[in-house]
Amino acid sequence: MEEIMIALKNIQKELDEQKSEIRKSADKVTERVTQNINKILEEKFLKLQDQHDKLKEKVENQEKRIYFLEKQARQRNVVFFGIEEKESSYDNLQNNIVSFIKKYFNTDIELRDIQEVRRVGKKGDRPRPIIVIFSTLGIKINIMKNKGLLKDTQYYLKEDYPLQVLKKRRELLEQAKIEKEKGNDVRIKYDKLVILKSNNKRSLPTSPENTLTAECQSKNNTNTQAHKKNRTQKSNKPVQRSNSLSEGGIKPSMLNFLVNKNINNTTTEQKNDEKTSSI
């Protein structure tokens, strides 16, 4: 009976060892499968990432090209605002624009100088703006140079910017206000903010830092003025004249030099007298 129990225990022990080995082998297989799966997924992810980067670069290049083409397409455009909306046809609108430019800009312009005109936006109470495409860039430049002639009228004109540039210019307006508050003369040219010069005459916005700086400057100015005042008072004191000089007062530096020279001579004579007496 005991032998049977011992045999059963041995069998149970062997079964337990086999179970543990099976579990270990199963864990190893699972680990290897997981590593292989991760490796395959990582390779696929890298390929997808590479494709994504290439597509992103292509999209960016395409956006740049579209932006450049749109900029070139709008290069000869001018947007007119405030012109009454009374035209009944395209020809009528074109003739109105030619008459308007001749009247306010004193420019000899003809229908052949205009490539296209069109109103933009929804029709409402106010007249819609008119986009005018000129046949040459030179005509557009001359018109933009003389836009100040519309200063005292209800009309005005602007560049025809792409939507991206308009958005960028709105963002730059806030930055331009900050620079103007600092006293800088700024201009927005297309989609960039240009600081022309610094205007020191304008007062800076008040702040604790500016107040402390102003107090320090005033103290320095006061100390400087007091120092200058003391110097002028010292220079106004009467200067002793020497009989050996016929004209003019002796400068303080000359007085010091003479006094030091006399003292040195006196001490030298005293030393010589002492030596003589000792002999």
Side-chain angles (χ1 to χ4, degrees), residues 23-269:
R23 287 175 182 174
K24 289 179 181 180
S25 61
D27 292 338
K28 289 180 180 180
V29 170
T30 304
E31 186 178 357
R32 288 177 183 177
V33 171
T34 304
Q35 289 177 355
N36 292 331
I37 292 172
N38 289 335
K39 187 177 180 180
I40 294 170
L41 291 175
E42 187 176 358
E43 289 176 355
K44 288 186 177 180
F45 176 77
L46 291 174
K47 288 181 181 179
L48 291 173
Q49 184 68 32
D50 188 28
Q51 292 176 359
H52 176 266
D53 293 338
K54 289 179 180 179
L55 289 173
K56 184 178 179 182
E57 185 178 358
K58 286 182 180 180
V59 170
E60 289 177 353
N61 291 332
Q62 291 295 333
E63 287 179 351
K64 289 178 181 179
R65 290 177 183 175
I66 293 171
Y67 173 76
F68 177 76
L69 291 173
E70 189 174 2
K71 183 180 177 181
Q72 289 294 111
R74 297 171 184 261
Q75 192 174 15
R76 293 177 282 112
N77 295 9
V78 177
V79 185
F80 290 83
F81 296 86
I83 299 177
E84 294 79 2
E85 195 168 350
K86 296 180 180 179
E87 67 276 359
S88 57
S89 64
Y90 178 83
D91 292 336
N92 191 208
L93 175 61
Q94 197 172 16
N95 290 327
N96 289 343
I97 286 294
V98 172
S99 301
F100 179 85
I101 293 173
K102 285 182 178 180
K103 179 180 178 181
Y104 288 97
F105 292 92
N106 296 323
T107 302
D108 237 356
I109 192 172
E110 302 295 336
L111 287 174
R112 64 176 177 269
D113 297 323
I114 294 177
Q115 181 178 338
E116 183 185 349
V117 293
R118 67 176 183 273
R119 288 193 183 268
V120 292
K122 293 182 179 180
K123 196 169 183 178
D125 297 334
R126 295 182 180 180
R128 292 175 294 169
I130 303 174
I131 296 179
V132 180
I133 304 175
F134 293 98
S135 59
T136 62
L137 183 61
I139 299 173
K140 180 259 183 90
I141 292 173
N142 290 331
I143 295 293
M144 294 302 296
K145 281 183 179 178
N146 296 318
K147 66 180 181 179
L149 296 173
L150 300 177
K151 184 177 181 181
D152 297 328
T153 65
Q154 64 179 355
Y155 312 110
Y156 62 97
L157 54 88
K158 289 185 179 181
E159 292 269 3
D160 186 19
Y161 298 112
L163 292 176
Q164 293 178 349
V165 177
L166 288 173
K167 184 178 179 181
K168 183 69 176 177
R169 286 173 68 88
R170 291 192 193 99
E171 294 174 358
L172 292 176
L173 280 174
E174 298 179 358
Q175 189 176 352
K177 289 179 182 179
I178 296 172
E179 293 295 333
K180 286 182 179 180
E181 289 176 357
K182 294 179 181 178
N184 295 325
D185 189 7
V186 296
R187 296 287 186 275
I188 298 176
K189 291 187 177 181
Y190 204 72
D191 59 348
K192 293 181 180 179
L193 183 68
V194 180
I195 300 176
L196 299 177
K197 59 183 178 180
S198 179
N199 187 4
N200 295 326
K201 293 182 180 180
R202 295 183 62 179
S203 59
L204 295 174
T206 57
S207 64
E209 294 180 358
N210 292 333
T211 306
L212 292 174
T213 305
E215 290 178 357
C216 293
Q217 289 179 353
S218 63
K219 287 181 181 178
N220 292 331
N221 293 333
T222 305
N223 294 332
T224 304
Q225 291 177 358
H227 182 65
K228 288 182 178 179
K229 187 175 180 181
N230 293 332
R231 288 182 64 184
T232 53
Q233 289 178 355
K234 289 180 180 179
S235 62
N236 291 330
K237 290 183 179 180
V239 180
Q240 294 180 355
R241 294 180 179 271
S242 173
N243 294 328
S244 61
L245 298 175
S246 58
E247 295 180 359
I250 300 176
K251 295 181 179 180
S253 59
M254 289 293 293
L255 286 173
N256 294 332
F257 173 76
L258 293 173
V259 170
N260 292 331
K261 186 175 181 181
N262 292 330
I263 292 171
N264 292 330
N265 291 332
T266 305
T267 54
T268 304
E269 290 176 358

